[in-house]
Amino acid sequence: MSSTQKTARWMITPNLGLDGLQDEVDVPVPQLTGRQCLVRINAVSLNYRDIAMATGRYPLPTSKSFVPGLHAVHKDHQDGIITPEIRQSTLGSQRYGVLQKLAVFEETGLVALPKNLSYIEGACLSCAAVTAWNCLFGLESRALRSGELVLTQGTGGVSLFAIQFALAVGAVVIATTSSRDKELRLEALGVQHVINYKSNPD
């Protein structure tokens, strides 16, 4: 393929919030190098990190403008199988996020999507779920075991995944929350001990 191949993407300028989001079309994509893979994005999940970067609250420096989005599910040009031929003959760039039609990743940065998950479900796993998993099981010598206690704070994505992982291995979960509705949600998940810190500040 020639270097004139084009793609489309969303760009964001930091500190402007969502008003800084603009679409760009007919963007050239350069030649792949090494073991990079060009993939077509099917679904993207956005999280707090993306909002923080857009509003200037992200603690690390960002470029003047960038493609947002950290997590996506893709299907490449060969029915989901990345072949050496695709890797060597397609075009792309790895400098940007995933809120674009085409994106480039190192081959080692790609994992297969379980067949029982939709593209949207898969796109939502890679941040909160992996963070929770690493916290509980990332160190094999300290991995969570049945009967141990886990304390989670709030009902955000990381906490909800951590609760489900912990319960699955037989751990005892203590969860804090701020409202009765969220108490009921946690109890429905099977949390053994729910503490509402608004109604029980002590």
Side-chain angles (χ1 to χ4, degrees), residues 112-178:
L113 177 69
K115 293 182 179 180
N116 63 313
L117 296 180
S118 69
Y119 287 133
I120 293 175
E121 290 169 332
C124 294
L125 284 178
S126 54
C127 183
V130 173
T131 299
W133 180 270
N134 281 331
C135 288
L136 299 177
F137 308 106
L139 292 176
E140 186 174 353
S141 62
R142 303 288 296 274
L144 182 68
R145 292 176 173 80
S146 178
E148 294 183 329
L149 293 176
V150 173
L151 172 65
T152 63
Q153 296 178 302
T155 52
V158 175
S159 288
L160 291 177
F161 275 115
I163 287 167
Q164 293 173 81
F165 292 151
L167 292 174
V169 299
V172 177
V173 177
I174 304 169
T176 64
T177 188
S178 60

Coordinates of all heavy atoms in Angstrom, one line a residue, residues 112-178:
A112 N -6.8 -11.4 22.2 CA -8.1 -11.9 21.6 C -9.3 -11.6 22.4 O -9.3 -11.7 23.6 CB -8.0 -13.4 21.3
L113 N -10.4 -11.1 21.8 CA -11.6 -10.9 22.4 C -12.4 -12.2 22.6 O -12.6 -12.9 21.6 CB -12.5 -9.9 21.6 CG -13.9 -9.6 22.1 CD1 -13.8 -8.8 23.4 CD2 -14.7 -8.9 21.0
P114 N -12.8 -12.5 23.9 CA -13.6 -13.7 24.1 C -14.8 -13.7 23.2 O -15.5 -12.7 23.0 CB -13.9 -13.7 25.5 CG -12.8 -12.9 26.2 CD -12.5 -11.8 25.1
K115 N -15.2 -14.9 22.6 CA -16.3 -14.9 21.7 C -17.6 -14.6 22.3 O -18.6 -14.2 21.6 CB -16.3 -16.3 21.1 CG -15.1 -16.6 20.2 CD -15.2 -18.0 19.5 CE -14.0 -18.3 18.6 NZ -14.1 -19.6 18.0
N116 N -17.7 -14.7 23.6 CA -19.0 -14.5 24.3 C -19.2 -13.0 24.6 O -20.3 -12.6 25.1 CB -19.2 -15.3 25.5 CG -18.1 -14.9 26.6 OD1 -16.9 -14.8 26.3 ND2 -18.6 -14.7 27.8
L117 N -18.3 -12.1 24.2 CA -18.4 -10.7 24.5 C -18.6 -9.9 23.2 O -18.0 -10.2 22.2 CB -17.1 -10.2 25.2 CG -16.8 -10.7 26.6 CD1 -15.5 -10.1 27.1 CD2 -18.0 -10.5 27.5
S118 N -19.4 -8.9 23.3 CA -19.6 -8.0 22.1 C -18.4 -7.0 22.1 O -17.6 -6.9 23.0 CB -20.9 -7.2 22.3 OG -20.8 -6.2 23.4
Y119 N -18.3 -6.3 21.0 CA -17.2 -5.3 20.8 C -17.3 -4.3 22.0 O -16.3 -3.9 22.5 CB -17.3 -4.6 19.5 CG -16.9 -5.4 18.3 CD1 -17.7 -5.5 17.2 CD2 -15.8 -6.2 18.3 CE1 -17.4 -6.2 16.1 CE2 -15.4 -6.9 17.2 CZ -16.2 -6.9 16.1 OH -15.8 -7.7 15.0
I120 N -18.5 -3.8 22.3 CA -18.7 -2.8 23.3 C -18.3 -3.3 24.7 O -17.6 -2.7 25.4 CB -20.1 -2.3 23.3 CG1 -20.4 -1.5 22.0 CG2 -20.4 -1.4 24.5 CD1 -21.9 -1.1 21.9
E121 N -18.7 -4.6 25.0 CA -18.3 -5.2 26.3 C -16.8 -5.3 26.4 O -16.2 -5.0 27.4 CB -19.0 -6.5 26.4 CG -20.5 -6.4 26.6 CD -21.2 -7.7 26.5 OE1 -20.7 -8.6 25.8 OE2 -22.3 -7.9 27.1
G122 N -16.2 -5.8 25.3 CA -14.8 -6.0 25.3 C -14.0 -4.7 25.5 O -13.0 -4.6 26.2
A123 N -14.5 -3.6 24.9 CA -13.8 -2.3 25.0 C -13.8 -1.8 26.4 O -13.0 -1.0 26.8 CB -14.5 -1.3 24.0
C124 N -14.8 -2.2 27.2 CA -14.9 -1.7 28.6 C -14.1 -2.5 29.6 O -14.1 -2.1 30.7 CB -16.4 -1.7 29.0 SG -17.4 -0.6 28.0
L125 N -13.5 -3.5 29.1 CA -12.7 -4.4 30.1 C -11.3 -3.9 30.4 O -10.8 -4.2 31.5 CB -12.7 -5.8 29.5 CG -13.9 -6.7 29.6 CD1 -13.7 -8.0 29.0 CD2 -14.4 -6.8 31.1
S126 N -10.7 -3.3 29.4 CA -9.2 -3.2 29.5 C -8.7 -2.2 30.6 O -7.5 -2.3 30.9 CB -8.6 -2.9 28.2 OG -9.2 -1.8 27.6
C127 N -9.5 -1.3 31.0 CA -9.0 -0.4 32.1 C -9.4 -0.8 33.5 O -8.6 -1.3 34.3 CB -9.4 1.0 31.8 SG -8.8 2.3 32.9
A128 N -10.7 -0.7 33.8 CA -11.1 -1.0 35.1 C -10.9 -2.4 35.5 O -10.5 -2.7 36.6 CB -12.6 -0.6 35.3
A129 N -11.3 -3.3 34.6 CA -11.2 -4.8 34.9 C -9.7 -5.2 35.1 O -9.4 -5.9 36.1 CB -11.8 -5.6 33.8
V130 N -8.9 -4.8 34.2 CA -7.4 -5.2 34.4 C -6.8 -4.5 35.6 O -6.0 -5.2 36.3 CB -6.7 -4.8 33.1 CG1 -5.2 -5.1 33.3 CG2 -7.2 -5.6 31.9
T131 N -7.2 -3.3 35.9 CA -6.7 -2.7 37.1 C -7.1 -3.5 38.4 O -6.3 -3.7 39.3 CB -7.2 -1.2 37.2 OG1 -6.8 -0.5 36.1 CG2 -6.7 -0.6 38.5
A132 N -8.4 -3.8 38.4 CA -8.9 -4.6 39.6 C -8.2 -6.0 39.6 O -7.8 -6.4 40.7 CB -10.4 -4.8 39.5
W133 N -8.0 -6.6 38.5 CA -7.4 -7.9 38.5 C -6.0 -7.8 39.0 O -5.5 -8.7 39.8 CB -7.4 -8.5 37.1 CG -6.8 -9.9 37.0 CD1 -5.5 -10.2 36.7 CD2 -7.5 -11.1 37.2 NE1 -5.3 -11.5 36.7 CE2 -6.5 -12.1 37.0 CE3 -8.8 -11.5 37.5 CZ2 -6.8 -13.5 37.1 CZ3 -9.1 -12.8 37.6 CH2 -8.1 -13.8 37.4
N134 N -5.2 -6.9 38.5 CA -3.8 -6.7 38.9 C -3.7 -6.4 40.4 O -2.8 -6.9 41.1 CB -3.1 -5.6 38.2 CG -2.7 -6.1 36.8 OD1 -2.4 -7.3 36.6 ND2 -2.7 -5.2 35.8
C135 N -4.7 -5.6 41.0 CA -4.6 -5.4 42.4 C -4.8 -6.6 43.2 O -4.2 -6.8 44.3 CB -5.7 -4.4 42.8 SG -5.4 -2.7 42.2
L136 N -5.7 -7.5 42.8 CA -6.0 -8.7 43.5 C -5.1 -9.9 43.2 O -4.9 -10.7 44.1 CB -7.5 -9.1 43.3 CG -8.5 -8.0 43.7 CD1 -9.9 -8.5 43.3 CD2 -8.5 -7.7 45.2
F137 N -4.7 -10.0 42.0 CA -4.0 -11.2 41.6 C -2.7 -11.0 40.9 O -2.0 -11.9 40.4 CB -4.9 -12.1 40.7 CG -6.2 -12.3 41.2 CD1 -7.4 -11.7 40.7 CD2 -6.4 -13.2 42.3 CE1 -8.6 -11.9 41.3 CE2 -7.7 -13.5 42.8 CZ -8.8 -12.8 42.3
G138 N -2.2 -9.7 40.8 CA -1.1 -9.4 40.0 C 0.2 -10.0 40.5 O 1.1 -10.3 39.7
L139 N 0.4 -10.1 41.8 CA 1.5 -10.8 42.4 C 1.1 -12.2 42.9 O 0.3 -12.3 43.8 CB 2.0 -10.0 43.6 CG 2.7 -8.6 43.3 CD1 3.0 -7.9 44.6 CD2 3.9 -8.8 42.4
E140 N 1.6 -13.2 42.2 CA 1.2 -14.5 42.5 C 1.4 -14.9 43.9 O 0.5 -15.6 44.5 CB 2.0 -15.5 41.6 CG 1.5 -16.9 41.7 CD 2.2 -17.9 40.7 OE1 2.9 -17.4 39.8 OE2 1.9 -19.1 40.8
S141 N 2.4 -14.4 44.6 CA 2.7 -14.8 46.0 C 1.7 -14.1 46.9 O 1.6 -14.5 48.1 CB 4.1 -14.4 46.3 OG 4.3 -13.0 46.2
R142 N 1.1 -13.0 46.4 CA 0.1 -12.3 47.3 C -1.3 -12.3 46.7 O -2.1 -11.5 47.1 CB 0.6 -10.8 47.4 CG 2.0 -10.7 47.9 CD 2.1 -11.0 49.4 NE 1.3 -10.0 50.2 CZ 1.7 -8.9 50.6 NH1 2.9 -8.4 50.3 NH2 0.9 -8.1 51.4
A143 N -1.6 -13.2 45.8 CA -2.9 -13.3 45.2 C -4.0 -13.6 46.2 O -3.8 -14.3 47.2 CB -2.9 -14.4 44.1
L144 N -5.1 -12.9 46.0 CA -6.3 -13.1 46.9 C -6.7 -14.5 46.9 O -6.8 -15.2 45.9 CB -7.4 -12.2 46.4 CG -8.7 -12.2 47.2 CD1 -8.4 -11.6 48.6 CD2 -9.8 -11.4 46.5
R145 N -7.1 -15.0 48.1 CA -7.5 -16.4 48.3 C -8.9 -16.4 49.0 O -9.3 -15.5 49.6 CB -6.5 -17.2 49.0 CG -5.2 -17.4 48.2 CD -4.2 -18.2 49.0 NE -3.0 -18.5 48.2 CZ -2.0 -17.7 47.9 NH1 -2.1 -16.4 48.3 NH2 -1.0 -18.1 47.1
S146 N -9.5 -17.6 48.9 CA -10.8 -17.8 49.5 C -10.7 -17.5 51.0 O -9.7 -17.9 51.7 CB -11.3 -19.2 49.3 OG -12.5 -19.5 50.0
G147 N -11.7 -16.8 51.6 CA -11.7 -16.5 53.0 C -11.1 -15.2 53.4 O -11.3 -14.8 54.5
E148 N -10.2 -14.7 52.5 CA -9.6 -13.4 52.9 C -10.5 -12.2 52.7 O -11.6 -12.3 52.0 CB -8.3 -13.2 52.0 CG -7.3 -14.2 52.3 CD -6.0 -14.0 51.5 OE1 -6.1 -13.5 50.3 OE2 -4.9 -14.4 51.9
L149 N -10.2 -11.1 53.3 CA -11.0 -9.9 53.3 C -10.6 -8.9 52.2 O -9.4 -8.7 52.0 CB -11.0 -9.2 54.7 CG -11.6 -9.9 55.9 CD1 -11.3 -9.1 57.1 CD2 -13.1 -10.1 55.7
V150 N -11.5 -8.3 51.6 CA -11.3 -7.3 50.6 C -12.1 -6.1 50.9 O -13.3 -6.2 51.1 CB -11.6 -7.8 49.1 CG1 -11.5 -6.6 48.2 CG2 -10.7 -8.9 48.7
L151 N -11.5 -4.9 51.0 CA -12.2 -3.6 51.2 C -12.3 -2.8 49.9 O -11.2 -2.6 49.3 CB -11.6 -2.8 52.3 CG -12.1 -1.4 52.5 CD1 -13.6 -1.4 53.0 CD2 -11.3 -0.6 53.4
T152 N -13.5 -2.5 49.4 CA -13.6 -1.6 48.2 C -14.3 -0.3 48.6 O -15.1 -0.3 49.5 CB -14.4 -2.3 47.1 OG1 -15.7 -2.6 47.6 CG2 -13.8 -3.7 46.7
Q153 N -13.9 0.7 47.9 CA -14.4 2.0 48.1 C -15.3 2.5 46.9 O -14.8 2.6 45.8 CB -13.3 3.0 48.4 CG -12.5 2.7 49.6 CD -11.4 3.7 49.8 OE1 -10.5 3.8 48.9 NE2 -11.3 4.4 50.9
G154 N -16.6 2.8 47.2 CA -17.4 3.3 46.2 C -17.9 2.3 45.2 O -17.7 1.1 45.4
T155 N -18.6 2.8 44.1 CA -19.2 1.9 43.1 C -18.7 2.2 41.7 O -19.5 2.1 40.8 CB -20.7 1.9 43.2 OG1 -21.1 3.3 43.2 CG2 -21.2 1.3 44.5
G156 N -17.5 2.7 41.6 CA -16.9 2.9 40.3 C -16.5 1.6 39.6 O -16.7 0.5 40.2
G157 N -16.0 1.7 38.4 CA -15.7 0.5 37.6 C -14.7 -0.4 38.2 O -14.9 -1.6 38.3
V158 N -13.6 0.1 38.8 CA -12.6 -0.7 39.4 C -13.2 -1.4 40.6 O -13.0 -2.7 40.8 CB -11.4 0.1 39.8 CG1 -10.4 -0.7 40.5 CG2 -10.7 0.7 38.6
S159 N -13.9 -0.7 41.4 CA -14.5 -1.4 42.6 C -15.5 -2.5 42.2 O -15.5 -3.6 42.8 CB -15.2 -0.4 43.5 OG -14.3 0.5 44.1
L160 N -16.3 -2.2 41.2 CA -17.3 -3.2 40.9 C -16.7 -4.5 40.3 O -17.1 -5.6 40.6 CB -18.3 -2.6 39.9 CG -19.3 -1.6 40.4 CD1 -20.1 -1.0 39.3 CD2 -20.1 -2.1 41.6
F161 N -15.6 -4.3 39.5 CA -14.9 -5.5 39.0 C -14.2 -6.2 40.1 O -14.2 -7.4 40.2 CB -13.9 -5.1 37.9 CG -14.5 -5.0 36.5 CD1 -14.6 -3.7 35.9 CD2 -15.0 -6.1 35.9 CE1 -15.1 -3.6 34.6 CE2 -15.6 -6.0 34.6 CZ -15.6 -4.7 34.0
A162 N -13.6 -5.4 41.0 CA -12.9 -6.1 42.1 C -13.8 -6.9 43.0 O -13.5 -8.0 43.5 CB -12.2 -5.0 43.0
I163 N -15.0 -6.4 43.2 CA -16.0 -7.1 44.0 C -16.3 -8.4 43.3 O -16.4 -9.5 44.0 CB -17.3 -6.2 44.2 CG1 -17.0 -5.1 45.2 CG2 -18.5 -7.1 44.6 CD1 -18.1 -4.0 45.2
Q164 N -16.6 -8.4 42.1 CA -17.0 -9.6 41.4 C -15.8 -10.7 41.3 O -16.0 -11.9 41.5 CB -17.4 -9.3 39.9 CG -18.7 -8.5 39.9 CD -19.1 -8.0 38.5 OE1 -19.7 -8.8 37.8 NE2 -18.8 -6.8 38.2
F165 N -14.6 -10.2 41.1 CA -13.4 -11.1 41.1 C -13.2 -11.7 42.5 O -13.0 -12.9 42.7 CB -12.2 -10.3 40.7 CG -12.1 -9.9 39.3 CD1 -11.4 -8.8 38.9 CD2 -12.8 -10.6 38.3 CE1 -11.4 -8.3 37.6 CE2 -12.7 -10.2 37.0 CZ -12.0 -9.0 36.6
A166 N -13.4 -10.8 43.6 CA -13.2 -11.3 44.9 C -14.2 -12.3 45.3 O -13.9 -13.4 45.9 CB -13.2 -10.1 45.9
L167 N -15.4 -12.1 45.0 CA -16.5 -13.0 45.3 C -16.3 -14.3 44.6 O -16.6 -15.4 45.1 CB -17.9 -12.4 45.0 CG -18.3 -11.2 45.9 CD1 -19.6 -10.6 45.4 CD2 -18.4 -11.6 47.3
A168 N -15.8 -14.3 43.4 CA -15.7 -15.5 42.5 C -14.6 -16.4 43.1 O -14.8 -17.6 42.9 CB -15.2 -15.1 41.1
V169 N -13.7 -15.9 43.9 CA -12.7 -16.8 44.5 C -13.0 -17.1 46.0 O -12.2 -17.7 46.7 CB -11.2 -16.2 44.4 CG1 -10.8 -16.0 43.0 CG2 -11.1 -14.9 45.2
G170 N -14.2 -16.6 46.4 CA -14.6 -17.0 47.8 C -14.1 -16.0 48.9 O -14.1 -16.4 50.0
A171 N -13.7 -14.8 48.5 CA -13.3 -13.8 49.5 C -14.5 -13.2 50.1 O -15.6 -13.2 49.6 CB -12.4 -12.8 48.8
V172 N -14.2 -12.5 51.3 CA -15.3 -11.8 52.0 C -15.1 -10.3 51.6 O -14.0 -9.7 51.8 CB -15.2 -12.0 53.5 CG1 -16.2 -11.1 54.2 CG2 -15.4 -13.4 53.8
V173 N -16.1 -9.6 51.1 CA -16.0 -8.3 50.6 C -16.7 -7.3 51.6 O -17.9 -7.5 52.0 CB -16.6 -8.1 49.2 CG1 -16.5 -6.6 48.8 CG2 -15.9 -9.0 48.2
I174 N -16.0 -6.2 51.9 CA -16.6 -5.1 52.7 C -16.5 -3.9 51.7 O -15.5 -3.6 51.2 CB -15.7 -4.8 53.9 CG1 -15.6 -6.0 54.8 CG2 -16.4 -3.6 54.7 CD1 -14.6 -5.8 56.0
A175 N -17.7 -3.3 51.4 CA -17.8 -2.2 50.5 C -18.4 -1.0 51.1 O -19.3 -1.1 51.9 CB -18.6 -2.7 49.3
T176 N -17.8 0.1 50.8 CA -18.3 1.4 51.3 C -19.1 2.1 50.2 O -18.7 2.0 49.0 CB -17.2 2.3 51.8 OG1 -16.3 2.7 50.8 CG2 -16.4 1.6 52.9
T177 N -20.1 2.9 50.5 CA -20.9 3.6 49.5 C -21.5 4.8 50.2 O -21.4 5.0 51.4 CB -21.9 2.7 48.8 OG1 -22.5 3.4 47.7 CG2 -23.0 2.3 49.8
S178 N -22.2 5.6 49.4 CA -22.8 6.9 50.0 C -24.3 7.0 49.9 O -24.8 8.0 50.3 CB -22.1 8.1 49.3 OG -22.4 8.0 47.9

